[in-house]
């Protein structure tokens, strides 16, 4: 199924690339009259524009997690959105979304189609913007907010390559763990974890965050490793504080999601201090796996209670809804997506 989808996807990508290139070259050289005469894709109801519109609708359904939210964003009815997605699935010959009365889940084929649609639509929009605005489309400031550890470990090391590709783009980082007001504080894009409830935001899922429970080899040698969840109460715990509250530890227990108190003798609001406390043997922590990739590989720390690990949380690149996204911001979001795809502990889980 996926092989067939990839073949169709490749054909669609080529078709869009050829058509959009011809479309805008004709527009730039000869004006709207020749454009209409030489490019039938501009006619109302043309197949090309229908495909692009279906892509946009499908992408928004995935990003919002809801047919009704996507309908509101496009100012169309929910049945229209449902029909668009159904028509897209019929044309591709595969199911993209698994839905029932309560949940909406992206299938493996749907995830592949979503990721490729993002790239095709970005190419189309970037081409339109670059023709309309010239080189200024790839110039200016991108303001991004993200957590300190994530920025230092993953984004900063890739900025030099980004600047080589886009030398006229400047990047400003607002380093903070809090949820800032994107519009009020003039932020172009934020990295946020988990599902969003704010309908004023548009989220693109760029990766997954996996929560693991772990301790240093030294701590385990001195105190042993808990084999059951209830044994955690007998151990020192390293707590993570968010907005003044200690974050609970989520686990999967026989198919149920449960939360255990994460408070302990040491707590901090900084992820890298959690890492430092684990390495110092202060106790057991429950935190993002990407923070410990190197020391897990070296054996300096060990994962425990792996059988109770919770499902991953989506990592989202978030922008304010209702605003035209400059090309420089789209390119920076693409950089963030590439970073997550390249890192095993950040990439989107299969299935």
């Amino acid at each position: 199924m996926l092989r067939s989808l990839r073949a169709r996807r490749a054909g669609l990508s080529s078709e869009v690339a050829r058509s959009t290139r011809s479309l805008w070259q004709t527009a730039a050289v000869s004006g709207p009259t020749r454009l209409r005469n030489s490019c039938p894709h501009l006619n109302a109801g043309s197949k090309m524009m229908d495909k692009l519109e279906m892509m946009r609708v499908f992408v928004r359904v995935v990003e919002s997690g809801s047919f009704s939210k996507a309908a509101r964003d496009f100012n169309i009815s929910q049945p229209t959105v449902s029909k668009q997605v159904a028509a897209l699935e019929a044309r591709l010959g595969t199911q993209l979304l698994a839905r029932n009365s309560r949940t909406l889940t992206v299938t493996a084929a749907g995830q592949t189609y979503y990721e490729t649609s993002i790239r095709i639509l970005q190419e189309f929009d970037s081409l339109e913007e670059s023709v309309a605005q010239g080189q200024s489309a790839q110039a200016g400031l991108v303001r991004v907010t993200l957590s300190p550890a994530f920025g230092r470990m993953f984004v900063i090391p890739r900025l030099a390559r980004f600047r080589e590709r886009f030398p006229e783009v400047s990047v400003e980082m607002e380093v903070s763990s809090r949820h800032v007001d994107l519009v009020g504080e003039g932020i172009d894009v934020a990295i946020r974890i988990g599902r969003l409830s704010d309908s004023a935001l548009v989220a693109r899922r760029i990766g997954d965050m996996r929560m693991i429970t772990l301790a240093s080899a030294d701590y385990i040698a001195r105190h042993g490793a808990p084999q059951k969840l209830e044994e955690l109460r007998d151990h020192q715990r390293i707590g993570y504080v968010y907005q003044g509250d200690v974050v609970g530890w989520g686990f999967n227990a026989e198919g149920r999601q449960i939360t255990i108190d994460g408070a302990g003798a040491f707590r901090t609001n900084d992820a890298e201090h959690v890492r430092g406390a684990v390495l110092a043997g202060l106790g057991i922590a429950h935190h993002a796996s990407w923070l410990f990739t190197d020391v897990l590989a070296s054996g300096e720390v060990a994962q425990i209670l792996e059988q109770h690990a919770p499902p991953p949380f989506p990592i989202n690149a978030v922008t304010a809804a209702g605003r035209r996204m400059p090309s420089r911001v789209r390119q920076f979001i693409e950089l963030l997506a590439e970073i997550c795809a390249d890192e095993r502990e950040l990439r989107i889980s299969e299935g």
Side-chain angles (χ1 to χ4, degrees):
M1 179 184 296
L2 284 177
R3 185 177 303 156
S4 172
L5 178 62
R6 290 192 183 99
R8 296 181 185 187
R9 179 187 69 194
L12 179 58
S13 179
S14 299
E15 181 182 352
V16 171
R18 288 194 303 270
S19 299
T20 54
R21 194 175 299 113
S22 173
L23 174 65
W24 294 112
Q25 285 174 347
T26 305
V29 173
S30 305
T33 301
R34 182 179 171 189
L35 180 62
R36 283 192 297 270
N37 293 336
S38 62
C39 186
H41 295 304
L42 277 186
N43 296 332
S46 70
K47 291 182 179 180
M48 177 55 63
M49 291 305 176
D50 283 349
K51 289 179 180 179
L52 288 174
E53 195 60 32
M54 282 183 177
M55 277 187 184
R56 292 190 191 279
V57 170
F58 174 72
V59 164
R60 190 66 195 109
V61 169
V62 172
E63 292 177 341
S64 65
S66 165
F67 283 92
S68 59
K69 289 181 181 178
R72 287 197 299 271
D73 290 342
F74 284 103
N75 196 29
I76 57 180
S77 68
Q78 182 174 334
T80 299
V81 171
S82 299
K83 289 178 182 177
Q84 288 256 24
V85 173
L88 179 61
E89 291 177 321
R91 183 167 60 82
L92 293 173
T94 189
Q95 186 178 23
L96 303 177
L97 299 172
R99 55 267 207 196
N100 56 38
S101 59
R102 301 184 63 180
T103 61
L104 182 67
T105 305
V106 184
T107 65
Q111 185 65 37
T112 301
Y113 189 82
Y114 165 75
E115 292 171 2
T116 304
S117 294
I118 286 288
R119 291 193 292 271
I120 292 172
L121 292 171
Q122 285 178 344
E123 180 181 348
F124 187 92
D125 292 340
S126 294
L127 183 57
E128 179 181 12
E129 185 174 343
S130 64
V131 170
Q133 299 183 10
Q135 292 301 313
S136 63
Q138 301 289 1
L141 177 66
V142 175
R143 301 191 70 228
V144 56
T145 179
L146 72 178
S147 69
F150 191 93
R152 181 189 65 79
M153 293 177 62
F154 301 111
V155 181
I156 292 294
R158 299 284 287 267
L159 278 184
R161 191 183 308 174
F162 179 80
R163 294 276 291 116
E164 288 174 0
R165 292 174 58 194
F166 307 104
E168 300 301 317
V169 176
S170 302
V171 178
E172 179 182 329
M173 286 188 177
E174 173 72 24
V175 180
S176 174
S177 297
R178 68 184 179 90
H179 281 191
V180 304
D181 178 355
L182 270 63
V183 176
E185 300 187 35
I187 298 295
D188 293 304
V189 58
I191 296 180
R192 294 190 178 168
I193 309 299
R195 296 199 174 277
L196 303 179
S197 57
D198 190 344
S199 60
L201 300 176
V202 176
R204 174 183 170 185
R205 184 182 179 187
I206 58 173
D208 277 348
M209 184 180 78
R210 298 161 186 83
M211 298 295 291
I212 61 173
T213 310
L214 73 171
S216 70
D218 175 66
Y219 178 89
I220 293 174
R222 289 185 288 115
H223 302 283
Q227 302 300 311
K228 300 178 181 180
L229 292 177
E230 53 266 29
E231 294 176 10
L232 281 172
R233 67 170 68 95
D234 301 324
H235 286 264
Q236 297 297 321
R237 296 187 297 280
I238 299 169
Y240 180 69
V241 179
Y242 180 71
Q243 294 185 339
D245 296 321
V246 178
V247 177
W249 294 8
F251 292 100
N252 184 353
E254 298 179 350
R256 297 181 299 109
Q257 301 302 308
I258 66 171
T259 303
I260 292 177
D261 183 12
F266 177 79
R267 62 189 73 176
T268 175
N269 67 344
D270 181 72
E272 295 197 81
H273 280 71
V274 171
R275 174 187 164 98
V278 169
L279 295 177
L282 291 184
I284 296 172
H286 184 77
H287 212 81
S289 62
W290 55 259
L291 192 64
F292 298 92
T293 304
D294 57 339
V295 288
L296 281 166
S298 70
E300 194 171 352
V301 302
Q303 185 174 354
I304 58 179
L305 298 170
E306 189 172 356
Q307 70 274 23
H308 294 295
F313 295 95
I315 302 174
N316 300 303
V318 177
T319 57
R323 295 194 304 188
R324 182 177 179 84
M325 187 186 301
S327 176
R328 61 183 180 272
V329 176
R330 283 197 297 272
Q331 295 296 346
F332 192 81
I333 292 175
E334 196 60 35
L335 168 69
L336 297 175
E338 290 172 3
I339 289 171
C340 291
D342 289 344
E343 296 289 339
R344 185 172 65 87
E345 293 301 324
L346 295 177
R347 67 179 60 127
I348 296 174
S349 304
E350 295 183 2

PDB file of all heavy atoms in Angstrom, residues 269-299:
ATOM      1  N   ASN A 269      13.269  23.480  37.822  1.00  0.00           N
ATOM      2  CA  ASN A 269      12.476  23.869  36.652  1.00  0.00           C
ATOM      3  C   ASN A 269      13.309  23.874  35.376  1.00  0.00           C
ATOM      4  O   ASN A 269      12.876  24.395  34.351  1.00  0.00           O
ATOM      5  CB  ASN A 269      11.850  25.253  36.861  1.00  0.00           C
ATOM      6  CG  ASN A 269      12.899  26.360  36.906  1.00  0.00           C
ATOM      7  OD1 ASN A 269      14.095  26.088  37.085  1.00  0.00           O
ATOM      8  ND2 ASN A 269      12.467  27.596  36.773  1.00  0.00           N
ATOM      9  N   ASP A 270      14.515  23.295  35.411  1.00  0.00           N
ATOM     10  CA  ASP A 270      15.401  23.295  34.257  1.00  0.00           C
ATOM     11  C   ASP A 270      15.779  21.867  33.875  1.00  0.00           C
ATOM     12  O   ASP A 270      16.254  21.090  34.716  1.00  0.00           O
ATOM     13  CB  ASP A 270      16.670  24.097  34.559  1.00  0.00           C
ATOM     14  CG  ASP A 270      17.613  24.130  33.370  1.00  0.00           C
ATOM     15  OD1 ASP A 270      17.298  24.818  32.386  1.00  0.00           O
ATOM     16  OD2 ASP A 270      18.656  23.446  33.424  1.00  0.00           O
ATOM     17  N   ALA A 271      15.584  21.533  32.594  1.00  0.00           N
ATOM     18  CA  ALA A 271      15.824  20.160  32.129  1.00  0.00           C
ATOM     19  C   ALA A 271      17.276  19.743  32.296  1.00  0.00           C
ATOM     20  O   ALA A 271      17.573  18.595  32.660  1.00  0.00           O
ATOM     21  CB  ALA A 271      15.408  20.032  30.666  1.00  0.00           C
ATOM     22  N   GLU A 272      18.196  20.651  32.026  1.00  0.00           N
ATOM     23  CA  GLU A 272      19.602  20.274  32.130  1.00  0.00           C
ATOM     24  C   GLU A 272      20.031  20.063  33.577  1.00  0.00           C
ATOM     25  O   GLU A 272      20.980  19.318  33.841  1.00  0.00           O
ATOM     26  CB  GLU A 272      20.470  21.306  31.426  1.00  0.00           C
ATOM     27  CG  GLU A 272      20.197  21.325  29.920  1.00  0.00           C
ATOM     28  CD  GLU A 272      21.279  22.003  29.121  1.00  0.00           C
ATOM     29  OE1 GLU A 272      22.302  21.367  28.845  1.00  0.00           O
ATOM     30  OE2 GLU A 272      21.083  23.179  28.777  1.00  0.00           O
ATOM     31  N   HIS A 273      19.339  20.696  34.520  1.00  0.00           N
ATOM     32  CA  HIS A 273      19.607  20.407  35.930  1.00  0.00           C
ATOM     33  C   HIS A 273      19.056  19.029  36.320  1.00  0.00           C
ATOM     34  O   HIS A 273      19.607  18.366  37.199  1.00  0.00           O
ATOM     35  CB  HIS A 273      19.021  21.500  36.826  1.00  0.00           C
ATOM     36  CG  HIS A 273      19.877  22.722  36.907  1.00  0.00           C
ATOM     37  ND1 HIS A 273      20.033  23.584  35.865  1.00  0.00           N
ATOM     38  CD2 HIS A 273      20.655  23.200  37.926  1.00  0.00           C
ATOM     39  CE1 HIS A 273      20.849  24.566  36.211  1.00  0.00           C
ATOM     40  NE2 HIS A 273      21.250  24.350  37.458  1.00  0.00           N
ATOM     41  N   VAL A 274      17.971  18.603  35.681  1.00  0.00           N
ATOM     42  CA  VAL A 274      17.488  17.234  35.887  1.00  0.00           C
ATOM     43  C   VAL A 274      18.567  16.258  35.430  1.00  0.00           C
ATOM     44  O   VAL A 274      18.899  15.298  36.134  1.00  0.00           O
ATOM     45  CB  VAL A 274      16.172  16.983  35.112  1.00  0.00           C
ATOM     46  CG1 VAL A 274      15.798  15.501  35.146  1.00  0.00           C
ATOM     47  CG2 VAL A 274      15.040  17.821  35.689  1.00  0.00           C
ATOM     48  N   ARG A 275      19.113  16.498  34.266  1.00  0.00           N
ATOM     49  CA  ARG A 275      20.185  15.641  33.744  1.00  0.00           C
ATOM     50  C   ARG A 275      21.368  15.614  34.715  1.00  0.00           C
ATOM     51  O   ARG A 275      21.905  14.556  35.038  1.00  0.00           O
ATOM     52  CB  ARG A 275      20.633  16.142  32.372  1.00  0.00           C
ATOM     53  CG  ARG A 275      21.847  15.413  31.804  1.00  0.00           C
ATOM     54  CD  ARG A 275      22.330  16.086  30.509  1.00  0.00           C
ATOM     55  NE  ARG A 275      23.678  15.652  30.161  1.00  0.00           N
ATOM     56  CZ  ARG A 275      23.964  14.713  29.283  1.00  0.00           C
ATOM     57  NH1 ARG A 275      22.983  14.088  28.651  1.00  0.00           N
ATOM     58  NH2 ARG A 275      25.216  14.388  29.021  1.00  0.00           N
ATOM     59  N   GLY A 276      21.771  16.794  35.170  1.00  0.00           N
ATOM     60  CA  GLY A 276      22.891  16.865  36.094  1.00  0.00           C
ATOM     61  C   GLY A 276      22.642  16.109  37.383  1.00  0.00           C
ATOM     62  O   GLY A 276      23.543  15.437  37.914  1.00  0.00           O
ATOM     63  N   ALA A 277      21.405  16.198  37.884  1.00  0.00           N
ATOM     64  CA  ALA A 277      21.059  15.499  39.131  1.00  0.00           C
ATOM     65  C   ALA A 277      21.094  13.984  38.939  1.00  0.00           C
ATOM     66  O   ALA A 277      21.520  13.246  39.830  1.00  0.00           O
ATOM     67  CB  ALA A 277      19.682  15.949  39.611  1.00  0.00           C
ATOM     68  N   VAL A 278      20.636  13.523  37.778  1.00  0.00           N
ATOM     69  CA  VAL A 278      20.693  12.082  37.492  1.00  0.00           C
ATOM     70  C   VAL A 278      22.143  11.616  37.458  1.00  0.00           C
ATOM     71  O   VAL A 278      22.515  10.609  38.082  1.00  0.00           O
ATOM     72  CB  VAL A 278      19.997  11.762  36.145  1.00  0.00           C
ATOM     73  CG1 VAL A 278      20.290  10.325  35.718  1.00  0.00           C
ATOM     74  CG2 VAL A 278      18.495  11.972  36.257  1.00  0.00           C
ATOM     75  N   LEU A 279      22.992  12.350  36.754  1.00  0.00           N
ATOM     76  CA  LEU A 279      24.392  11.961  36.638  1.00  0.00           C
ATOM     77  C   LEU A 279      25.106  12.015  37.984  1.00  0.00           C
ATOM     78  O   LEU A 279      26.064  11.268  38.220  1.00  0.00           O
ATOM     79  CB  LEU A 279      25.105  12.860  35.623  1.00  0.00           C
ATOM     80  CG  LEU A 279      24.619  12.734  34.180  1.00  0.00           C
ATOM     81  CD1 LEU A 279      25.346  13.717  33.271  1.00  0.00           C
ATOM     82  CD2 LEU A 279      24.809  11.317  33.669  1.00  0.00           C
ATOM     83  N   ALA A 280      24.637  12.881  38.866  1.00  0.00           N
ATOM     84  CA  ALA A 280      25.241  12.987  40.196  1.00  0.00           C
ATOM     85  C   ALA A 280      24.743  11.904  41.147  1.00  0.00           C
ATOM     86  O   ALA A 280      25.194  11.824  42.297  1.00  0.00           O
ATOM     87  CB  ALA A 280      24.963  14.366  40.791  1.00  0.00           C
ATOM     88  N   GLY A 281      23.796  11.068  40.670  1.00  0.00           N
ATOM     89  CA  GLY A 281      23.290   9.985  41.498  1.00  0.00           C
ATOM     90  C   GLY A 281      22.312  10.406  42.569  1.00  0.00           C
ATOM     91  O   GLY A 281      22.149   9.717  43.580  1.00  0.00           O
ATOM     92  N   LEU A 282      21.614  11.541  42.333  1.00  0.00           N
ATOM     93  CA  LEU A 282      20.674  12.043  43.339  1.00  0.00           C
ATOM     94  C   LEU A 282      19.378  11.247  43.388  1.00  0.00           C
ATOM     95  O   LEU A 282      18.621  11.359  44.350  1.00  0.00           O
ATOM     96  CB  LEU A 282      20.356  13.517  43.082  1.00  0.00           C
ATOM     97  CG  LEU A 282      21.488  14.520  43.318  1.00  0.00           C
ATOM     98  CD1 LEU A 282      20.991  15.936  43.106  1.00  0.00           C
ATOM     99  CD2 LEU A 282      22.048  14.370  44.733  1.00  0.00           C
ATOM    100  N   GLY A 283      19.086  10.475  42.358  1.00  0.00           N
ATOM    101  CA  GLY A 283      17.854   9.704  42.379  1.00  0.00           C
ATOM    102  C   GLY A 283      17.399   9.301  41.001  1.00  0.00           C
ATOM    103  O   GLY A 283      18.157   9.336  40.019  1.00  0.00           O
ATOM    104  N   ILE A 284      16.109   8.942  40.903  1.00  0.00           N
ATOM    105  CA  ILE A 284      15.474   8.497  39.660  1.00  0.00           C
ATOM    106  C   ILE A 284      14.723   9.677  39.042  1.00  0.00           C
ATOM    107  O   ILE A 284      14.082  10.459  39.754  1.00  0.00           O
ATOM    108  CB  ILE A 284      14.500   7.339  39.941  1.00  0.00           C
ATOM    109  CG1 ILE A 284      15.269   6.120  40.479  1.00  0.00           C
ATOM    110  CG2 ILE A 284      13.712   6.962  38.700  1.00  0.00           C
ATOM    111  CD1 ILE A 284      14.369   5.001  40.957  1.00  0.00           C
ATOM    112  N   ALA A 285      14.803   9.791  37.728  1.00  0.00           N
ATOM    113  CA  ALA A 285      14.084  10.858  37.020  1.00  0.00           C
ATOM    114  C   ALA A 285      13.168  10.251  35.964  1.00  0.00           C
ATOM    115  O   ALA A 285      13.350   9.108  35.531  1.00  0.00           O
ATOM    116  CB  ALA A 285      15.064  11.828  36.371  1.00  0.00           C
ATOM    117  N   HIS A 286      12.196  11.041  35.568  1.00  0.00           N
ATOM    118  CA  HIS A 286      11.250  10.666  34.505  1.00  0.00           C
ATOM    119  C   HIS A 286      11.226  11.845  33.558  1.00  0.00           C
ATOM    120  O   HIS A 286      10.617  12.883  33.848  1.00  0.00           O
ATOM    121  CB  HIS A 286       9.869  10.417  35.123  1.00  0.00           C
ATOM    122  CG  HIS A 286       8.836   9.926  34.146  1.00  0.00           C
ATOM    123  ND1 HIS A 286       8.797   8.627  33.700  1.00  0.00           N
ATOM    124  CD2 HIS A 286       7.790  10.564  33.552  1.00  0.00           C
ATOM    125  CE1 HIS A 286       7.772   8.479  32.866  1.00  0.00           C
ATOM    126  NE2 HIS A 286       7.152   9.642  32.763  1.00  0.00           N
ATOM    127  N   HIS A 287      11.918  11.706  32.435  1.00  0.00           N
ATOM    128  CA  HIS A 287      12.102  12.882  31.585  1.00  0.00           C
ATOM    129  C   HIS A 287      12.259  12.457  30.120  1.00  0.00           C
ATOM    130  O   HIS A 287      12.204  11.271  29.785  1.00  0.00           O
ATOM    131  CB  HIS A 287      13.328  13.678  32.046  1.00  0.00           C
ATOM    132  CG  HIS A 287      13.186  15.152  31.805  1.00  0.00           C
ATOM    133  ND1 HIS A 287      12.487  15.995  32.639  1.00  0.00           N
ATOM    134  CD2 HIS A 287      13.660  15.941  30.816  1.00  0.00           C
ATOM    135  CE1 HIS A 287      12.540  17.227  32.192  1.00  0.00           C
ATOM    136  NE2 HIS A 287      13.251  17.226  31.065  1.00  0.00           N
ATOM    137  N   ALA A 288      12.468  13.455  29.255  1.00  0.00           N
ATOM    138  CA  ALA A 288      12.586  13.210  27.817  1.00  0.00           C
ATOM    139  C   ALA A 288      13.838  12.403  27.503  1.00  0.00           C
ATOM    140  O   ALA A 288      14.932  12.715  27.979  1.00  0.00           O
ATOM    141  CB  ALA A 288      12.613  14.539  27.068  1.00  0.00           C
ATOM    142  N   SER A 289      13.682  11.403  26.644  1.00  0.00           N
ATOM    143  CA  SER A 289      14.808  10.525  26.327  1.00  0.00           C
ATOM    144  C   SER A 289      15.929  11.270  25.616  1.00  0.00           C
ATOM    145  O   SER A 289      17.104  10.938  25.786  1.00  0.00           O
ATOM    146  CB  SER A 289      14.325   9.354  25.471  1.00  0.00           C
ATOM    147  OG  SER A 289      13.794   9.814  24.230  1.00  0.00           O
ATOM    148  N   TRP A 290      15.575  12.293  24.802  1.00  0.00           N
ATOM    149  CA  TRP A 290      16.604  12.985  24.022  1.00  0.00           C
ATOM    150  C   TRP A 290      17.625  13.695  24.903  1.00  0.00           C
ATOM    151  O   TRP A 290      18.745  13.989  24.462  1.00  0.00           O
ATOM    152  CB  TRP A 290      15.988  13.962  23.027  1.00  0.00           C
ATOM    153  CG  TRP A 290      15.055  15.000  23.586  1.00  0.00           C
ATOM    154  CD1 TRP A 290      13.694  14.966  23.557  1.00  0.00           C
ATOM    155  CD2 TRP A 290      15.405  16.250  24.215  1.00  0.00           C
ATOM    156  NE1 TRP A 290      13.169  16.100  24.144  1.00  0.00           N
ATOM    157  CE2 TRP A 290      14.196  16.908  24.549  1.00  0.00           C
ATOM    158  CE3 TRP A 290      16.608  16.871  24.523  1.00  0.00           C
ATOM    159  CZ2 TRP A 290      14.159  18.153  25.175  1.00  0.00           C
ATOM    160  CZ3 TRP A 290      16.590  18.115  25.161  1.00  0.00           C
ATOM    161  CH2 TRP A 290      15.374  18.738  25.473  1.00  0.00           C
ATOM    162  N   LEU A 291      17.274  13.955  26.147  1.00  0.00           N
ATOM    163  CA  LEU A 291      18.204  14.642  27.049  1.00  0.00           C
ATOM    164  C   LEU A 291      19.323  13.714  27.518  1.00  0.00           C
ATOM    165  O   LEU A 291      20.358  14.172  28.017  1.00  0.00           O
ATOM    166  CB  LEU A 291      17.420  15.185  28.252  1.00  0.00           C
ATOM    167  CG  LEU A 291      18.114  16.171  29.178  1.00  0.00           C
ATOM    168  CD1 LEU A 291      18.456  17.458  28.440  1.00  0.00           C
ATOM    169  CD2 LEU A 291      17.228  16.471  30.387  1.00  0.00           C
ATOM    170  N   PHE A 292      19.155  12.403  27.334  1.00  0.00           N
ATOM    171  CA  PHE A 292      20.095  11.431  27.892  1.00  0.00           C
ATOM    172  C   PHE A 292      20.661  10.470  26.846  1.00  0.00           C
ATOM    173  O   PHE A 292      21.230   9.448  27.202  1.00  0.00           O
ATOM    174  CB  PHE A 292      19.386  10.612  28.987  1.00  0.00           C
ATOM    175  CG  PHE A 292      18.903  11.426  30.150  1.00  0.00           C
ATOM    176  CD1 PHE A 292      17.614  11.945  30.164  1.00  0.00           C
ATOM    177  CD2 PHE A 292      19.732  11.699  31.229  1.00  0.00           C
ATOM    178  CE1 PHE A 292      17.167  12.695  31.235  1.00  0.00           C
ATOM    179  CE2 PHE A 292      19.299  12.447  32.301  1.00  0.00           C
ATOM    180  CZ  PHE A 292      18.005  12.959  32.315  1.00  0.00           C
ATOM    181  N   THR A 293      20.519  10.785  25.572  1.00  0.00           N
ATOM    182  CA  THR A 293      20.922   9.854  24.519  1.00  0.00           C
ATOM    183  C   THR A 293      22.363   9.378  24.681  1.00  0.00           C
ATOM    184  O   THR A 293      22.654   8.179  24.604  1.00  0.00           O
ATOM    185  CB  THR A 293      20.745  10.509  23.138  1.00  0.00           C
ATOM    186  OG1 THR A 293      19.381  10.944  23.001  1.00  0.00           O
ATOM    187  CG2 THR A 293      21.064   9.527  22.034  1.00  0.00           C
ATOM    188  N   ASP A 294      23.279  10.307  24.913  1.00  0.00           N
ATOM    189  CA  ASP A 294      24.697   9.952  24.970  1.00  0.00           C
ATOM    190  C   ASP A 294      25.041   9.095  26.179  1.00  0.00           C
ATOM    191  O   ASP A 294      25.769   8.098  26.074  1.00  0.00           O
ATOM    192  CB  ASP A 294      25.569  11.209  24.950  1.00  0.00           C
ATOM    193  CG  ASP A 294      25.235  12.168  26.086  1.00  0.00           C
ATOM    194  OD1 ASP A 294      24.111  12.094  26.645  1.00  0.00           O
ATOM    195  OD2 ASP A 294      26.097  13.008  26.424  1.00  0.00           O
ATOM    196  N   VAL A 295      24.498   9.427  27.354  1.00  0.00           N
ATOM    197  CA  VAL A 295      24.852   8.687  28.566  1.00  0.00           C
ATOM    198  C   VAL A 295      24.110   7.353  28.659  1.00  0.00           C
ATOM    199  O   VAL A 295      24.573   6.430  29.339  1.00  0.00           O
ATOM    200  CB  VAL A 295      24.619   9.548  29.828  1.00  0.00           C
ATOM    201  CG1 VAL A 295      25.668  10.647  29.917  1.00  0.00           C
ATOM    202  CG2 VAL A 295      23.215  10.147  29.843  1.00  0.00           C
ATOM    203  N   LEU A 296      22.978   7.235  27.969  1.00  0.00           N
ATOM    204  CA  LEU A 296      22.335   5.929  27.855  1.00  0.00           C
ATOM    205  C   LEU A 296      23.191   5.001  27.003  1.00  0.00           C
ATOM    206  O   LEU A 296      23.373   3.827  27.323  1.00  0.00           O
ATOM    207  CB  LEU A 296      20.941   6.075  27.238  1.00  0.00           C
ATOM    208  CG  LEU A 296      19.814   6.539  28.161  1.00  0.00           C
ATOM    209  CD1 LEU A 296      18.602   6.957  27.340  1.00  0.00           C
ATOM    210  CD2 LEU A 296      19.435   5.463  29.161  1.00  0.00           C
ATOM    211  N   ALA A 297      23.736   5.552  25.912  1.00  0.00           N
ATOM    212  CA  ALA A 297      24.579   4.748  25.033  1.00  0.00           C
ATOM    213  C   ALA A 297      25.873   4.307  25.723  1.00  0.00           C
ATOM    214  O   ALA A 297      26.359   3.196  25.500  1.00  0.00           O
ATOM    215  CB  ALA A 297      24.905   5.530  23.763  1.00  0.00           C
ATOM    216  N   SER A 298      26.407   5.170  26.571  1.00  0.00           N
ATOM    217  CA  SER A 298      27.665   4.846  27.248  1.00  0.00           C
ATOM    218  C   SER A 298      27.470   3.930  28.445  1.00  0.00           C
ATOM    219  O   SER A 298      28.439   3.354  28.950  1.00  0.00           O
ATOM    220  CB  SER A 298      28.352   6.139  27.710  1.00  0.00           C
ATOM    221  OG  SER A 298      27.627   6.743  28.785  1.00  0.00           O
ATOM    222  N   GLY A 299      26.226   3.796  28.922  1.00  0.00           N
ATOM    223  CA  GLY A 299      25.963   2.973  30.099  1.00  0.00           C
ATOM    224  C   GLY A 299      26.089   3.723  31.411  1.00  0.00           C
ATOM    225  O   GLY A 299      25.930   3.136  32.481  1.00  0.00           O
TER     226      GLY A 299
END
